[in-house]
Structure formats: C-alpha cells, structure tokens
Amino acid sequence: MKTYSYYPGCSQLSSAEEYGESALRVSEKLGFRLETLPDWNCCGASSAHMTNHLLALSLPGRDLAKARERGGDLVVVCAACYHNLKKAQAEILEDPSVAARVERIVGADPRFEGRIVHLLDVVAEEVGLEALKEKVVRPLEGLKPVSYYGCLMVRPRGMIENDDPDNPRLMDDLLSAMGAEVKKWSYKTDCCGGSLSLTRTDVVVKLVNRIFEAAEEADANCIVVACPMCLANLEMRQSEGRLAFRLEHDLPVFFFTELMALALGMEGPEEWFAKHLVDPRPLLYAKGLA
Amino acid sequence: MAEEKKTTAKGKARAKRVEEKDKVKAGKPESTGGAPVGAVMVVGGGVGGIQASLELANLGYKVYLVDSSPSIGGVMGMLDKTFPTNECSMCILSPKMVEVASNINIEVITLADVLSVEGEPGDMRVRLRIRPRYVDIDKCTGCGDCTAKCPVKIPDPYNAGLDMTRCIRVPFPQAVPGAAVIEGEVCRYINKGKCGNCVKVCQAGAIDFEQKEKEEIYSVGMVIASPGYKPFDASRKTEYGYGVYDNVVTSLEFERILGANGPTQGHVVRPSDGREVKKLAFVQCVGSRDVTVGNGYCSSVCCMYATKQALIAKEHLSSIEPTIFFIDMRAYGKDFEKYYVNAEAKFGVRYVRGLVSGIRERQRTKNLLLRYADEDGCTREEEFDLVVLSIGLEAPCGLKEGLGVEVNGYGFAEADSFLPVLSSKPGVLVCGAAQEPKDIPDTVTQATAAAGMASQALHGARNTLLTRREHPPERDVSGEEPRVGAIICRCGSNIGGFVDVPAVVEYARGLPGVVFAEERLYACSQDAQEWIRQVVDEHKLNRLVVASCTPRTHQPLFRETLQSAGVNKYLFEMANIREHCSWVHMKEPENATRKAQYLVKMAVEKARRLEPLAEGESEVIPRGLVIGGGVAGMNAALNLARSGFQVYLVEKEGELGGLARNIRFNRDGADVQEYLRGLVEAVEREELITVFKGHRVVDVSGFVGQFKTLVRDGEGRETLLEHGAVIVATGGGQYQPAEYRYGEDGHVLTQWELEERIAEKDGSLKEAKRVVMIQCVGSREEERPYCSKVCCTEAVKNALALKELSPSTEVFVLYRDIRTYGFREDLYREAREAGVVFVRFDDDARPEVREVAGALQVRVPDANLGNETVVLNADLVVLSVGVTANPDNAELAPMLKVPRNAEGFFLEAHMKLRPVDFATDGVFVCGLAHAPKSIEESVAQAAAAAARAESVLCKDRIVTEGVVAVVDAERCSGCRICVELCPFEAITYDADRRVAVVNPSLCKGCGTCTAACTAGASRLQGFRSDQIFEQIEAAASAWWD
Amino acid sequence: MINALSTALEKEVEERSGEKPRLCYQCGKCSTGCLFNFAMDILPHQVMKLVQYGQRERLLGSHTIWICASCETCTARCPNDIDVARVMDTLRAMALEGGVAPAERNIPIFHRCFLGNIQATGRISEPVLMGAYKTLSGDLFSDIGLAVRMLKKGKIKLIPSVVRGSREVRRIFREAKE
Amino acid sequence: MAEESATRNEDDIRILAFLCNWCSYAGADLAGVSRLQYPAKVLDVRVMCTGTISPYFVIKAFQEGMDGVLIAGCHIGDCHYLKGNYMTAKRFQVLREALKFLGIEEGRLRLEWVSAAEGEKYAEVIRSFTEEIEKLGPSPLRRKRAEVGA
Ligand SMILES: Cc1cc2nc3c(=O)[nH]c(=O)nc-3n(C[C@H](O)[C@H](O)[C@H](O)COP(=O)(O)OP(=O)(O)OC[C@H]3O[C@@H](n4cnc5c(N)ncnc54)[C@H](O)[C@@H]3O)c2cc1C
Ligand SMILES: Cc1cc2nc3c(=O)[nH]c(=O)nc-3n(C[C@H](O)[C@H](O)[C@H](O)COP(=O)(O)OP(=O)(O)OC[C@H]3O[C@@H](n4cnc5c(N)ncnc54)[C@H](O)[C@@H]3O)c2cc1C
Ligand code: SF4
Ligand code: SF4
Ligand code: SF4
Ligand code: SF4
Ligand code: SF4
Ligand code: SF4
Ligand code: SF4
Ligand code: SF4
C-alpha cells in the first residue's frame, strides 16, 4: 500500500476531528495510507506570518525538516497548513540564505524537496475519477453541493498546479463522480474571513453571509469544503448571518472526505455528521442518503 | 488500382509544374551578374502586409505575399469598425484586398510558413512550407455549395469561435483568395476515408485530396516581415472567468458580435441567452501591462478600441450603458483625445478609473458582478449583462525561428531605434504589430516605409520582374441604347440596417434604362467584383450604377471592375446611400429609404448620359521636393535620393535639424545629436540632394508629375524648381508656457531645458534634492484638445536620467494619464523601480506652483487619495510642454491645395489607409507637420512619404484623369474668358482657328471655365451641364412622383 | 494634507518584505478585490502610495493593517507582482515592534494568544486559545452560546495535544525574534 | 407603394445641395462617418468644384420645384483648384439678385464653406438650412407650377 507522510494540522485533533478521521479512513479505503508526521507542530497559521515572517518560515520549517527525514510526498488536509507549508517550502528552496537561516533556527535541514499535496489531489491522482465512479455504492443523488476551497488553497499564484486558481474544478469533478449534482458558482475561492472570526465577528459575518447567499442563489443545498478552518467559520458564523440578514435556512457544510465515505458506503459518517454545528442529517434523510 | 494510377499521373503533373515555377522563382537572371533580384517576399498578409505588397508592386517589384492562414486580411478583416473615425473596417480593407487579388504582380501564397531565410540583401532565398488546402484555388468559385453539405462542424475562426462553420468553407465572404479550404485535421474523408460529400457537390471539381504539404524555395531581393500579432489568451487571467462564464467575451469576439456580418448580425446580445445587452463593461489591460503573464508592455490599441466598441454598441442600441474600467486612458494618437472626450461627454460612455479585480457570476441571471471604486473611493458592486475583456497583443510566431530576426524579451522583432522597420537581419525588414503593438495607421505607415526601404536596396532591379496587365479590349458602346445595371449595396447593416434595400432595388428596376438591379451584402468584396463582371457580360450592360458608399474611396475599385469587364470605366456612377444617407438618417428609416431611392434615380439619370472618356498621359519630372529640413524632411530627402532620385530640400532656417536639435538622447538612450550630425552630413554629402537653406516656398503650381515651385531666400532671390512630387515636412513647435510660474522663476524649466542640463551633466542638478515634473502643459486643453504624445515618455526618460545622474534626487511626476504606449511602458516601470514617484491629479484639480519663502512649493491634489493635497517643496519644477502646429502651415496649405485640421496640423487623405497622402496627387506629408509624434515615428513616416513620392517619380508618365474640360470648337465664340480664368493655365487660344483649346494634361477638371463660358462651349467631361441638369430634374421629379 | 514626505519608509518596507510598493501604478485591483475593504480606513492601493510618501504613523496606526486577513487576493491579482499581503504583514510587524498603538484592539491580542499557545505546547488548542484571548481582550461574553454548542458536540477537546519537542518550538520562537 | 407614408405631404420641403468633391462632399462624408444626424430633405449633386456651378443649375433647380439650394465648397484659400470658390463667391452675389426677379426669396439660396474636416459643420448647415426653408415653406415657383398643373 502506498504510504504518504501526513501532516494533520491542529484542528483535526479537536474541532475538526471528523475531518481527520474521515481523511484517514477514506484514504485507506481507496488504497493508500497516510502516516502522520512524528511530533509535528503547528504551522503558525495566519498569526505567524502576519506578525513575524521568520517565524512563519521556521514553524513550518521544523515540519518540513521532519518530512525531509521521512522522504516521499507530504499530504495535507487543511488549506491554511497547506498554504503555509508550501509557501515556506518555496521560499526555503528558492533562497539558500533563507534556508540556512531557517536551518539554524530549527536545528535541522528544512530543505524538503518532495511534493506537498492536498488530499484532494492525492485522491484524483491515486484513484482517478473514473475508478472512483466505479467504487461508489451510494450515489449522492439529491445532493446539490457547491464546492468551496477558500482563499488559501489557491494562493499565492502558482500554488495550485493542475487546476484553475480562480475556478478550481477538482472538487466539483470528484463530487460529480460520486453522483452529486454540483452547482456552478463564483465564490469557490472567496475568503471567509476565518482569521478574524473571533476578533471582528461583524466583518466576518458579512463575508460568510455573502457566501451563503451566493450558494442559495446557485440553488445549492449544501457546501462542501476541504479545510477545517473554512468549515468551522462557515458553520459558526452562518447562524448569525441568518438572523442578521434574514436568510431562509442554514445550509449544511461537509468535508469532502465525509461525503466520500458516505458514497463509498463506509462506516462512520453518521457519527461525524452528528458533530456538525449545522446538522446535515435532516438533508441527508430527506434525500435518502442516511 | 485505377485510382492509384490517377494519383501518380496527377502527382507527376504537379511535380513538373513546381519545377517550372521554380525556374521562374529562382529567377535571378544570371546575365545581370550581381544585380539584385527585383522581387520581394512579404510575410504576413494583414493590413500591413497588404499595404507593403501594393506599394511594392506599384514601385515596380514582383511580390510574393505569404500568409500562414487560408486568406489574407489579418485581424483588420475581423474588425467591425475602426477608431477614431468609426469607419467600417471591411469596407476600407476589402478594396485593398481586391486590389491585391487583381494585381498580377502580387502572388498570394496562403497556408504557408517560412522555414528559413538566407542570403544577402538583394539576393535572398526563402524556404517555405506550404500546407495543403485540398481545394484548387483556380477552380473554386467560392460558391459555398460544399459547406452546405459538409457534415463536420467546427468553430468558425473568422467569428472568433462564436459560432460554427464547417470543415470546408470559404474563410469569409471577402476572403482572398476567395476559395474554400478544408481543415485537414477534422475532415472525415482525410481521416477516415469516408464522406467526400464536397467532392460530390462541387460542380467546379475543385476538391483535391491529393494535395500534399510541400516545401519551396523562393529567390527574392528583400523580405518584409509583417506577421502581426497573436491576441492574448484571456483564459490565462483566470480571475476574469473567460471560458467559465458565458457572458465574458474577448474584445475580438465582441468585435464580431458588433459586426453586421458576424454571428449575431450586429445585434448586441449575450451569448448565454441571446438577450439584448443593456449594461456593458469593458476591462482594460487584460494581458498587457502585466508582468505576471510576462507582458510588461502596453498593447497601445485597446484603450481606443474599447472606446470604439462602446460607441458602436451604443450606436447599435442606444439603450446600452457602457462602462470602461481602465488604469490610464491611452488616447495619444491623432484625434484620439477628442474621440475619448466626446465618447464620455457626448455619447455617455462611462469611464471608471481602476481595474476590477475579478468577475463573479450570478447563477440565475448569468449577469456578472464587478466590484470597483466609485468617485468617492467607495467600493461598489454592480451587475453587468456582458463583460468584454480588452485583450492585449502578443508577439506572433515565426519571427525568430523562421525569419531569423532577433526578438526582444517579449518576442517582438528587435528594431533600429531611429528607423524601426530595420530588423537585426540585413535583408529582412519588419513592419506592423510584429515590431511593436500598434494601430492600423501606424501599421500602414510602417508598411509603406518598409516598402520604400526595400526599394532603396533593389531599385537597380526595378521593373525587371514585372508583368503588365492587359485589360480586355473596350467594347464599343456608342450607338447602343443605355443599358444600366444598378447594384444596391447593403454594406452589412451599415446601409441595410436603416434603408429598406429591397425597396430600393425594386424602385431601381422601374427606372428608365435600368435593365438589371440587384442587392449585395458587400458590393466591394472580391467575389462581388467577379459577379459584377458576370452580370455586365450577361446583361450586356453598358452603364453601371452602384449605390453604396462614397465615391471618394470606392469609385476607383468599381471603375477598375467595369474596365476589366470590357466597358469604359467612365460609364460608371455612384449613389452615396451610406455616408450621405443611411448613416445620417439612422432614426428615420422611411425617409432614408426614400432618399436612397432618389439618389439612385439621380445616379441612373446621369449614368444614362455618360459617355466613354479617354485618359491622357503626362510626363513625370523624376525629382522630388521636400519642404522642411528637420529629422523628417532630411530622412525623406535621403530616402528618395538613395532610391536614385534627385531631391530639392528647402529649409527656412540657416541650419538643418529642426526641433530635434533640442533633444539630446532618445528613450533608448541613443544620442540624438550624434544621429542628427550623421544625418545632416549624409544629406549634405548626398549628390542627388540640393539643399536650399534659408529659403521659403512662395508659390507652387503645376500638378502631380510636373510641379513648379518658386523658392525665395532672405534677400529676395528666387529660384524656380521643377519636380514631380512634394513632401511636406514643415514640422511643428513647442508650446510656450505661461502657467506654473514659467518665466517668472528660474527654477521652473521645460523638459528640453532640463534635458540640456542633464546632457551637460550640469552640477546644479546633483544639488537639486527634489524635482517635480508636471505633465500635459499646454496639451489636452480647450485650445489644444489633443495629446502631444511625446511628453509622457520624455518625462519618464528624463526622470530616469536624473535618477541615474544622482540617485538621491527625488523625482515626482504629476500626471493625468501616463501614456507610455507600447514598449515605452517598460521605461515607465523602470522609472518607478528607480524610485520616481508618480502622482495623479484630476483634470479639474490641477497642481499649483507657489513661491513660499523664496522657495518653490508645488501643491497637488492626489487623485488616488481622494484629492488629498500633497505638498512638495521643489528645487526644480519641470514642465512637460506640448507640441504645437507650425503656423506656416496656414500659408502653405492653399499653395499646395491641401487641408489642415482645426488645430493647424495637415489633414491626410485618409486616416487609416492613406496616412501620408493628401487628396491632392503627388503631395505627401510626414513628421510633426502631420501630428505630434516621436523621432522614430517621424523617421518611419518620412520613409513612408518618400516611398509614396517614389511611386510617382518612378513612373515615366502619369495617366491623367478623363475628367477634363473640352471646348466645342463649333460653339466657341473665341471670347477668351476661359483662358483668363483657368487657374492651371490649361487653356490656350488658337488664334488661327479662333477657338480656345484645352491641354488635357494640365486641365485639373475644376470646371471653372465651363461655368463661365458664355457660349456653353466649354464642357467638363463627366460633369457636363446636360448630365447635371438630368440630375437636378431627377432630384425634383423623384419628389414629385 | 500630506506634507513631510520621506522615502525612508519605502526603503525599510522593501528591505523587510522584499517587495517594492513603488512599482505600483495604482490600478486598484488590490483594493477592488479585497473583500475586507469595507472595514478598512486606507485601501490597499492607497497603502502602497502612502508607503511611497513615507506616511509611517498613518499606516502603522491604521485599521487596515489589522483588518487585512492575509487572504492574498490582492497579491494574486497585482499585475506588478507586488505581494501586497506581504507588505501588510510587514507593516503589522513594524507596528508591533514600534510599539504603535494598534487601531484595532483585539486583533493583535488574538495573534499574541495564538502564537503564545503554539509557543507553549507546539500546537493550537482551541480552549486554551479562546480562554487566553477572552481574558486578554476582556470580550468575555460573545460567542458563549457557540462555545457551549461546540462543547456539547464534542468539538472542543479539553485536553490539549502537546508536541513532544515543544522545547524545540520555543527555541524557534526565541531565535526567530532575531 | 408601402413606404408612401403619412410623413410625405405636399408641404414637405426639398433642398438640392451642390457639393464640391474635395471639401464639402468629404465633409458630408465625415458627417456620415461620425453618424451625425440631420434631416433627410436634402439631395446632393457632387461637382468637382463649386466653380463648375453655373447659374443655370441653380435656376433650373428652382424651376423644377426645389425649395432651397445649397452650394457648399472649400473655404476661401483652400480650394483644390486655387480659386474656384472665389469665383463662386463672386458669382453668388449676382445670382442672388437674379433670383429676386423670379420671386425667389434670398434665404432660399445659401453658400457655405465646409472643409473635409467639418462633418459637424456640414450637419449643422443642413439642419439650419432645412429649418430656414421650412419656415419659408414651399417655394413660390413650385406653387406656381402646381397651379399650372405641371
Ligand atoms: C479587438 C481589437 C480591435 C482593434 N480595433 C482597431 C481599430 O479600431 N483601429 C485600429 O487602428 N486598430 C485596431 N486594432 C489593432 C489592429 O488589429 C492592428 O493594428 C492591425 O491588425 C495590425 O496589422 P498587421 O498587419 O500588423 O497584423 P495582423 O492583422 O495581425 O496580420 C498579420 C497576418 O500575418 C499572418 N501571419 C502571422 N504569422 C505569420 C507567419 N509566421 N507567417 C506568415 N504569416 C503569418 C496572419 O495570418 C495575418 O494574416 C484592434 C485590435 C484588436 C485586438
Ligand atoms: C516639446 C517637444 C518635445 C519633444 N520631445 C521628444 C522626445 O523626447 N523624443 C522624441 O523622440 N521626440 C520628441 N519630440 C518630437 C520630435 O521633435 C520630432 O518628432 C522630430 O523632431 C521630427 O520633427 P520634424 O522633422 O517633423 O519637424 P521639425 O523638427 O519641426 O522640422 C521642421 C523643419 O522644417 C522647417 N520649416 C518649417 N516651416 C518651413 C517652411 N515654411 N519652409 C521651409 N522650411 C520650414 C523648420 O525650420 C524645421 O527645420 C518632441 C517635440 C516637441 C515639440
Ligand atoms: S470547393 Fe467547389 S463547392 Fe466549394 S466553394 Fe469552391 S467551387 Fe463551391
Ligand atoms: S470530405 Fe471533408 S470537407 Fe468534404 S464534406 Fe466531408 S468532411 Fe467536409
Ligand atoms: S493602457 Fe495600454 S494595454 Fe492597457 S488597455 Fe490601454 S492601450 Fe491597452
Ligand atoms: S457600401 Fe458597399 S461598396 Fe461601400 S464599403 Fe460598404 S460594402 Fe463596400
Ligand atoms: S503629458 Fe503629453 S503625452 Fe502625456 S498625456 Fe499629456 S499631452 Fe499626452
Ligand atoms: S476645367 Fe477648365 S478651368 Fe478647370 S482646369 Fe480644366 S480647363 Fe482649366
Ligand atoms: S490580503 Fe489583506 S489586503 Fe489583501 S485582499 Fe486579503 S484582506 Fe485584503
Ligand atoms: S494591484 Fe498592485 S499595481 Fe494595482 S494598485 Fe494594487 S499594488 Fe498597485
């Protein structure tokens, strides 16, 4: 079984436990293994680079050094981690003086030369959409999702390798392959304001609300994400938006891995769904999917 | 088996033909020893290549015009209208294409790529790969029957892929060659051996699946590269959702949407649902001025074409509300600024400064959401029905690989910094957008210049490879009853959209003498000319009336067609139902239709009374006169001399050089003074040039081929010069500022004054801690409502030079728009990189220069900071003063019988297609006399003017118009009034016969004598009184009908 | 009115960020694309301009630098390839270092808590982060309902996960301070 | 005929314009190219130069029932043929006098200088001339013609 180094990210251990779990289990089901990087640390999220650039290189630097030791590619599931690790990697590999500085700070060689890939890409590469289609036992009929990548996964320029940075299609294709009726919309890569969620809730509520309005206009009945921060922020802030902006109803938000597990007929989804702040089960019951 | 045999037999026949052809092509006659080959290959058949080819053929060379696509025409052939005159693009290009097609000295080679170019100027060998067309051009009539039956649909490249055509098709109605082409990759027969429908339906037997790719070598004297440009691929700017959102289109697609011959017949509707567009947005600089896609340069044309498209869209549908999102409005060319200002003030085009960051789509309506900052800096989100991306121009393929010329970092041809048609490779000239993004007039100018430069190298072989065209013998129509054919042109929707064309046709059919009347979509297209010849023949027509556009542009084409049908070309009359009717009565279609009918009636009545006329010939004095010894004038003179002609160069000052004497270095850093010295020296050394310094022109008489010009020096001594052509290069001046304390404070300078100090490495500059430059001084104002074009680049150039001299000097440039078009944008970026600070101010909130405590202080409201005042204490204030017209032009214009525009610059014959000609034959213009422009543009234009003059001087004789006066000896009373009146001294009195006699080569056909002749003996051919009386009667009676 | 211009700030920003705000030609793409612009007092393109004008106090004391959420939309869209977000990062760092009173009170506190959390345990633990933030910001009551819901759903893990090498992480923090 | 609509009536005025090829005809072209709108009551005759325009042309036009005649040429000094327009200007005065004998009001004949660059001016001339003739109404000669039933 092909094995990848895996960087879970902080949320997967707590608020987004269901994401971490489904990611691991779905991978296994699809025939590859994610092996958690030993003793990884937080990538620093936005706070690091927002205030101290060197820190923003060194925190991921330590993780990169570990990945280097392990060799192979590194799989990430959180868009923020993905962004930070990839940016740090690029800067380290590009500028030898930066690499040297980080090496000094971290005390290990951070020049990780393998690929840093998001689980989405791994699924597409390892399994392929056609093969996935065949593995589906419970087509996601009745689900009308819009896919949401958030801002960090596609930035900076050139971050996304084989997809359109402003209209990425991979998640759409994946969901379509599993039988969902994916809706077109233009908000896939809009920022949801996650990093200000606690501090300027007023600002964030407006942004989140925009996203939900757009999803409704697109006739979607759920949003699918590939990032724990996005999910947390979208779930946390949409109810407030609903009050403030008189939206009709809450839209459930899924991790793409949860829906994969569902479509592949695996155990576990029910339990994960129960953890969502916006309970997706009524929708799934209505569509006969749970 | 049988088939195979046929194949080989056919194959052999072709091989033989190729060989024979090769012999002709490898046609450097051995006997002439080292003499150059009198043929030129032009690579790229856009408007640039077409122009160069026509000029070259006219100058006496055989031309091979090569295009990689199946038809010539380039991008201009896809455009609907052209700025800044909004003329129909196809209408002005098509006649040229027709001319190419009918010129036997131009061989069009399509579907061909250049593999290599070798040799020396005068003796070049070009290897071409010619792809199969699968249709025999000589047999195909362009009927289109095959297209109707072809099962394979492909997106129509001519319509920018907006709709579908078939695998076999004629590229577009006006295509040259007007033959079908098969897309080999998708044809069913070629790929699967099935179908062959086209073979079955083609009555002409034109389909030829045997054609194979082949390589051929051509021997020519020079090569002109004009492969144009590639439109930027908009899907690379992913934030705009091109290819994702249905209602985001490129400007080229929108051009087709506007086109009457386009996929929507000119209706401005949305691709998603065919709904009429109301809110229309343009996003500028898509793929230009953008280092992230590798295109740091400005594409030069998109600001203007967006303005044009907005105007045309509004013209099609007045309810449309166009908005243009832009950074700097680059309206720098002749009359562009007025075009832009009018678009905003008079036609309600909304301009919003600032680009939109991205585009979002509303799912239900497919409307598009654009966020922008309004005037108060507040962000707004607005919905639009359609968004047009103003895509930039990218370098074409084949410059480096095939043609072997050096290219710059962007892939455009590297060029000489004083004469940009010279490429890095001797023997290969370059013109048009392939050298730098540019508009049609500049392309045409460069193409003409390139033709002139080619001729300079090859003039020893002029006429050696030329074939002369024989027209069929003229049918004798005297004694025949008039049989008039009337052709009513729709001009796409230009006429057809406002005039009920079928009703006009019907009306024409009822007119006396009319035996044939039909309408055409484009009467001037190549296939229409063929058709006209047919109907003339079929219906034994002996008079032709075309009701279409203005005879000023199209009469020559139709006359030529008539002549080639064996009918005297003066048996032709035009009714102008476009400029004088459909376009000026757009809101009253019924009246327009009626007026069109009356105009047709007038034309028919006149045509019935037309008679065949004979043309005269006159000799050409093979000498040129150039007025003005600036950079433009000297170059023009030198070019003419180097092509072997004697030149008089008249300069009013005691010294040659003109304004360029004030310019020290150009934007490339090249030393202008050194260049100028070299130029003056070359002029003075050149034996064929006679310089008249300190002379002015006091009188000009004569006509093309035979001018007489009187020049006078300061002491009143006069010299009479006789010459065949005139080039006006009288230049311009510098605006004398009275604003911003200029003249009051010694620290306020003009750019020239600063440049001088920079060049002299003036020590005081290093002490200047802060220099503030102010743009648009004296330009873009009420009295001078034009952009001076050179001052933005000049300021940036000098700012950079200052920074180089003393990096610690702070330089601020206060501007309205930075107009560093083309590669000048690189200079602008370099200046920013070097730390020059650019501060934008609004038109109505100008900077102020004050004196505060003995020091200069500039206060400028920064438009990007909501007009917050920025206070700059300055050690030097530098004014970027504009270009003014030469006041002498007023006195020269009437002498030369040429017009000026409102600002006092000379007005060319046609902005797009005849940028260096005047309507008066034999008189040409270049340099600042025409409009503000940089040195290299002046030099290119000078080369173009010289080429045009050469085309007059290289002929032994000039055919004169048939429209001349004749005096009916029977009637002439011998009063001699006409003799006195004729302004051209064309009438003499024959004392023996006691009658007045007209010399047809002197007569210009003004008709002054005819109006004055008391006996009615003098008549102007083609405008005889009886003919005009018929027109008057027709006009009046039409109304009475 | 902008009076005392200086080019010093531009230089400092460039040295620290590697970005050149002076390349900006004020196309406005950064500002029109910024989803947070409604909450900003100085728009991103104006930030570029004011950096050129050397308006240090105005910038370091602005709301903008804190409101900016580092989404990098501006950066992705800038035709001059200026990493606008990075300039924002730099200005924030300069404000922190320069001890300029931040116009946004809570945002810097949040960042401090966040990084403090990592410094302590190597990873983020939401209850620790939230607790610290709420205490320091004094914003005790908002989101209480949310927290309760999250606890109920088992979304908040009360026992934080700790990196074994947390000492290494602390070292990184020390060293990265320069 | 279908297009025989209500807009057409006996009081409609008609104007004949003589335009010189080099300036005014080109100016009219420019008006077209610029899409300037003016009333459709003018039919034009292209002549090479206003100098060609014999007084008979003008008289003939009025005799045939035109209500107004416009002569437009290059500005004085700009004539393609040097002084054709100058001749016209001189001739024009005489012509106007002559027309009075025929009972034609002065205002019905107009002379204008319109250059190739003056599309705007051309349109304006047509607008104002049309207005003026509309005020004057059908020409007396036309009325006379109608009376005799020509
Ligand atoms: C949307 C749009 C609107 C515009 N509107 C205007 C306007 O209103 N007014 C104006 O003045 N300008 C306008 N322009 C600019 C105008 O198109 C150019 O100035 C003009 O077409 C340049 O002519 P060209 O002959 O240099 O190149 P092109 O028109 O590009 O012609 C090049 C020709 O060369 C051929 N070719 C290319 N590569 C090769 C090769 N390697 N070998 C052989 N042949 C080759 C091509 O097939 C083509 O036929 C517009 C441009 C665009 C995109
Ligand atoms: C303020 C200003 C700044 C400029 N800056 C730049 C720049 O930075 N870079 C750049 O590339 N270009 C610049 N230019 C443009 C540049 O000067 C011209 O393109 C170039 O000099 C070519 O001019 P010309 O030969 O057409 O006219 P001129 O240089 O004006 O030459 C005309 C000549 O004709 C003579 N002449 C005039 N009338 C008569 C007459 N009636 N009879 C006989 N002789 C006559 C004059 O004496 C003069 O010698 C600038 C122009 C101006 C006005
Ligand atoms: S190939 Fe034949 S059928 Fe097709 S257009 Fe030519 S002549 Fe007509
Ligand atoms: S043979 Fe090819 S070109 Fe001809 S009709 Fe069939 S598909 Fe079309
Ligand atoms: S500024 Fe230059 S590149 Fe941008 S739209 Fe205008 S002409 Fe095109
Ligand atoms: S009116 Fe007819 S002839 Fe004239 S340009 Fe248009 S299509 Fe050609
Ligand atoms: S400074 Fe000169 S070139 Fe620039 S916009 Fe003004 S007039 Fe035009
Ligand atoms: S038409 Fe008469 S007046 Fe005019 S140039 Fe000819 S002969 Fe002379
Ligand atoms: S990074 Fe900051 S300034 Fe840039 S778009 Fe995002 S929030 Fe706005
Ligand atoms: S996008 Fe870049 S160039 Fe445009 S205003 Fe912003 S920083 Fe300046």
Side-chain angles (χ1 to χ4, degrees), chain B residues 134-136 139-147 168-170 178-181 198 201-207:
Chain B
Y134 302 116
V135 174
D136 185 335
K139 290 187 187 156
C140 174
T141 62
C143 69
D145 290 350
C146 50
T147 309
I168 183 167
R169 82 243 173 242
V170 179
V181 58
C198 50
V201 295
C202 178
Q203 308 228 324
I207 314 292

Side-chain angles (χ1 to χ4, degrees), chain D residues 23 34 39 70 79 130 145 148:
Chain D
C23 295
S34 321
L70 170 72
C79 176
T130 309
R145 260 180 76 116
V148 292

Side-chain angles (χ1 to χ4, degrees), chain B residues 101 195-196 255 320 327 330 390 415 555 620 638 644 673 705 716 730 792 887 942 957 976 998:
Chain B
C195 183
E255 201 68 56
I320 288 183
I327 312 173
R330 296 206 159 153
S390 291
Q555 181 157 286
V620 174
L638 266 179
Q673 293 313 306
T730 49
C792 275
R957 41 193 65 244
R976 281 177 267 180
V998 179

Side-chain angles (χ1 to χ4, degrees), chain B residues 420-447:
Chain B
V421 298
L422 302 179
S423 82
S424 63
K425 181 166 174 154
V428 180
L429 298 158
V430 57
C431 66
Q435 184 265 320
E436 184 175 7
K438 60 173 63 66
D439 64 4
I440 295 162
D442 285 352
T443 297
V444 170
T445 303
Q446 272 200 350

Side-chain angles (χ1 to χ4, degrees), chain B residues 146 149-152 167-168 182 186-190 194-199 207 209:
Chain B
C146 50
K149 287 282 166 344
C150 175
V152 178
C167 168
I168 183 167
I182 292 177
V186 289
C187 167
R188 270 196 202 165
Y189 181 81
I190 293 172
K194 283 184 221 146
C195 183
N197 286 0
C198 50
V199 183
I207 314 292
F209 285 119

